[in-house]
Amino acid sequence: MTRYTLLVAAALLFPLSAGAQGYISRMLNHPVPGGVAVVPLGDSSQMPRAYHDDNRVMVLRDSDGQWIAVVGIDLKTTAGRQVLKVDGAPGVQQPAFVVGSKSYKEQHIKLKNKSQVNPDPEQTRRYEREYKEQIAAYASFREVIPSNVMLDKPVDGRLSSPFGLRRFFNGEERNAHSGLDFAVGLGTPIKAPADGVVTIVADYFFNGKTVFVDHGQGFITMYCHLSSFQVKAGDTVTRGQSIGKVGATGRATGPHLHWNVSLNNARVDPAIFINAFKP
């Protein structure tokens, strides 16, 4: 029995006061840009289907018996009310959530390889092909329920660059940091934080050696800058299984693991899922 299952089972043993939230709601609900909103969907006998911005959303039963939508909020989302489209939730009319505000810091990085700041036309075409592959992987949705949504850290190490940093490479602003970095040594084993299916194993221009794992219900994780792989595309992996080793491939200034988490095709702060989120 997994730790997640044990925690949910334990939560069910205690009486819930009026208005109390289930375990997943309490742990994951951080409705800010780049965060997660947990939206109650009632207690119908059948699992509802939920959509946000035309993307299918993860739906689970929480420890209090209620169905919940676990919604990833894109980093560029503005503060305000957001509405879900839901099928199969009798009595639940236009479930909504309110996105708050959050400011993110800046990071300035010096790169010796100028092409990783301003790629030449051939490198740009390569990046565009690779980007399409990754977007397709992020947009996939398997019906299987994730083995756990509170995740293990993929490596044991210091958290370095946090999610959401506004990044400047050689003085030029680029996309915000869409993951969480761990400062760990070259060759450190990387472990799958939940069961899943490997969808990408590739060597990319910016990301270096990269692995994608699909955990089900639009819950996708990505691991970048690896030195080597220990899985191939199509493999089924179990929680704790080694999928590769830390490296410094791609656009990296030294060995570290860059870890992305995506929900309903929105990249969100991985710190939320390891109980390390900072408002």
Side-chain angles (χ1 to χ4, degrees), residues 21 36 55 138 159 186:
Q21 292 180 314
V36 173
N55 290 298
Y138 280 131
L159 302 181
L186 184 70

Side-chain angles (χ1 to χ4, degrees), residues 5 12 20 53 58 105 141 149 174 192 198 200 204 216 249 253 271 279:
T5 304
L12 289 171
D53 290 339
M58 179 192 292
K105 296 179 181 179
F141 190 96
V149 292
R174 293 295 185 261
V198 177
I200 288 178
Y204 287 142
T249 55
T253 56

Side-chain angles (χ1 to χ4, degrees), residues 135-149:
I135 290 300
Y138 280 131
S140 65
F141 190 96
R142 294 190 304 130
E143 295 289 345
V144 63
I145 300 295
S147 63
N148 48 292
V149 292

Side-chain angles (χ1 to χ4, degrees), residues 146-210:
S147 63
N148 48 292
V149 292
M150 294 307 298
L151 301 176
D152 299 329
K153 292 180 181 179
V155 292
D156 290 323
R158 178 177 61 86
L159 302 181
S160 50
S161 298
F163 174 88
L165 282 173
R166 290 180 59 200
R167 296 186 302 173
F168 296 79
F169 291 97
N170 296 0
E172 298 184 33
E173 186 167 12
R174 293 295 185 261
N175 290 333
H177 194 229
S178 61
L180 183 65
D181 287 355
F182 291 85
V184 288
L186 184 70
T188 301
I190 302 165
K191 297 179 181 179
D195 297 353
V197 174
V198 177
T199 55
I200 288 178
V201 175
D203 193 349
Y204 287 142
F205 181 70
F206 285 124
N207 293 356
K209 289 184 168 63
T210 299

